[in-house]
Amino acid sequence: MFARPVCARAGLVVTVSALTACLTAAPAPAADFYAGKAIDLLIGGDVGGGYDIYARVLARHLHRFIPGSPTIVTKNQPGAGSGRAASYLYGVAPKDGSVIGAVFPGAIMGPLLDDRAQALYDPTKFQYLGSADNATRVCISHERSRIKSFEDTLQHKAIMGASAAGGSTRDYVNMLKKTTGAMFDLVAGYKGTADIFLAMERGEVDGMCGLDWASLKSQRPDWVRNKTANILAQINLEPEAELAKLGVPQIWKFIRSEDDRKAVELIISQQVFGRPYLAPPGVAAEPLKILRDAFTTTMQDKEFLADAERARIDVEPSSGERVQRLVEQLYATPKATVERAKDSIKP
């Protein structure tokens, strides 16, 4: 015979202890889940870089839309093109919704395009909160350089600065050198885009590729305004209106073959989730929904958008569900295209 539930009524009498047990067993409302807690936001880039600027603007507002208003604590964890932060999030970070991450799209594409990354984490198993921007990337040179257009790179050597392996500033230089014939010499090892800007000012390098257009506008707005930067090409699936108005050509004009075009399309598809935010695998449905809903609401919030405008960052968001589907689709790409894409970004 089964025992009666604790909350069952005995006639018209319910004891105080039984009522207390009922209330204790009930699911906590969403407002209580994060009340009095903190959420660590790991940023997979250096302080002062474009991804850092984006993440800190988001952190100033995200807590307002999470019931319980937890403190958002930003922590930079650069390294391996955000691979270090992604690996920590995947294998070490608590799976209770108390840690989320902001990583480079290259960290999500890395295990697909770089065999060395495959054992560290599986990007299809991350739980995506969304992306803040559908990014356009550019190749630029400094005004002092004799490289004034992308056509010049096909005729003259250009020294291009880049970060460590796995970063777009490195991968995109290799990709364009192989698929367009650009005469790029790569100087890698800079900590991030802020250091590459300084190297350009010092004349150490001519420029860089794989830089987000939004990052150029937020980190060096005077370079855009005063034409200190020559914008050689825009790298995207669809033309960016502001750059098109400036007469900046899309990179497709210079790609030499259809097979190369397919490989480049695969590599730059990551830009659709240009500013991805994600949670570790295994986070329960309730905190994941809270975080996704908060991210979506933040992207539409007037105060956040005003703050983003002041920081000169573009906001073109995608939902967590959309990013999740796209990552899964990219990992289902035919092997021949994946292998050609892998080869194009190798040194």
Side-chain angles (χ1 to χ4, degrees):
M1 182 175 180
F2 293 101
R4 296 179 70 188
V6 173
C7 298
R9 295 176 60 184
L12 297 177
V13 179
V14 179
T15 66
V16 173
S17 60
L19 180 59
T20 302
C22 291
L23 294 174
T24 303
D32 292 345
F33 191 91
Y34 282 108
K37 298 179 182 178
I39 297 174
D40 288 343
L41 171 53
L42 301 183
I43 304 171
D46 281 301
V47 174
Y51 282 79
D52 180 69
I53 293 171
Y54 257 88
R56 291 177 186 275
V57 172
L58 175 69
R60 289 198 288 269
H61 299 273
L62 183 65
H63 71 97
R64 295 191 288 116
F65 303 104
I66 299 176
S69 192
T71 302
I72 309 293
V73 182
T74 53
K75 297 182 177 181
N76 291 80
Q77 196 174 52
S82 280
R84 182 183 172 201
S87 297
Y88 178 88
L89 199 68
Y90 189 86
V92 180
K95 310 298 192 287
D96 58 0
S98 64
V99 182
I100 58 177
V103 301
F104 299 168
I108 296 170
M109 294 292 286
L112 181 65
L113 300 176
D114 183 353
D115 293 333
R116 294 171 300 176
Q118 286 184 347
L120 300 178
Y121 54 90
D122 180 351
T124 65
K125 289 185 169 57
F126 283 122
Q127 302 192 87
Y128 296 89
L129 310 184
S131 174
D133 191 28
N134 183 342
T136 283
R137 288 176 172 166
V138 292
C139 283
I140 66 170
S141 66
H142 196 274
E143 64 177 352
R144 296 196 194 96
S145 172
R146 68 172 177 171
I147 304 299
K148 307 296 185 184
S149 67
F150 199 87
E151 285 87 348
D152 288 341
T153 72
L154 305 177
Q155 303 294 328
H156 305 287
K157 183 173 74 173
I159 301 173
M160 308 301 277
S163 59
S168 62
T169 52
R170 177 168 172 160
D171 288 348
Y172 278 43
V173 167
N174 290 328
M175 173 185 76
L176 295 176
K177 182 175 182 177
K178 292 187 178 182
T179 61
T180 69
M183 298 173 65
F184 288 148
D185 279 353
L186 183 67
V187 177
Y190 293 100
K191 289 179 65 178
T193 54
D195 287 341
I196 303 174
F197 285 131
L198 293 175
M200 292 171 64
E201 290 175 329
R202 293 192 295 261
E204 295 174 6
V205 299
D206 288 293
M208 68 174 127
C209 288
L211 170 70
D212 283 337
W213 170 232
S215 293
L216 177 60
K217 291 191 291 182
S218 62
Q219 293 179 262
R220 290 291 191 277
D222 55 317
W223 282 25
V224 177
R225 183 175 58 250
N226 301 330
K227 299 185 178 180
T228 303
N230 302 305
I231 307 171
L232 310 179
Q234 53 174 308
I235 308 168
N236 43 28
L237 296 176
E238 299 293 335
E240 201 281 333
E242 190 175 11
L243 289 169
K245 188 175 181 180
L246 294 173
V248 179
Q250 278 190 284
I251 202 61
W252 308 117
K253 175 181 177 181
F254 307 102
I255 303 295
R256 295 182 294 188
S257 76
E258 183 60 28
D259 286 341
D260 284 336
R261 183 186 179 94
K262 289 178 182 177
V264 172
E265 284 178 347
L266 172 61
I267 293 166
I268 72 172
S269 290
Q270 64 187 267
Q271 295 170 201
V272 174
F273 44 87
R275 305 286 174 175
Y277 294 84
L278 56 160
V283 173
E286 182 184 1
L288 179 64
K289 184 178 188 306
I290 291 171
L291 292 169
R292 280 181 168 174
D293 289 349
F295 181 87
T296 298
T297 305
T298 302
M299 291 295 106
Q300 301 167 352
D301 177 63
K302 290 182 180 179
E303 290 183 35
F304 165 75
L305 292 172
D307 201 357
E309 185 175 0
R310 288 191 294 271
R312 299 184 180 88
I313 59 176
D314 295 333
V315 178
E316 190 176 338
S318 296
S319 69
E321 292 84 354
R322 183 188 180 205
V323 175
Q324 199 93 44
R325 287 193 301 271
L326 179 56
V327 172
E328 291 169 0
Q329 290 168 6
L330 290 173
Y331 273 77
T333 299
K335 185 177 180 180
T337 300
V338 172
E339 291 304 316
R340 195 174 188 92
K342 282 183 180 181
D343 182 68
S344 72
I345 63 175
K346 289 179 180 176

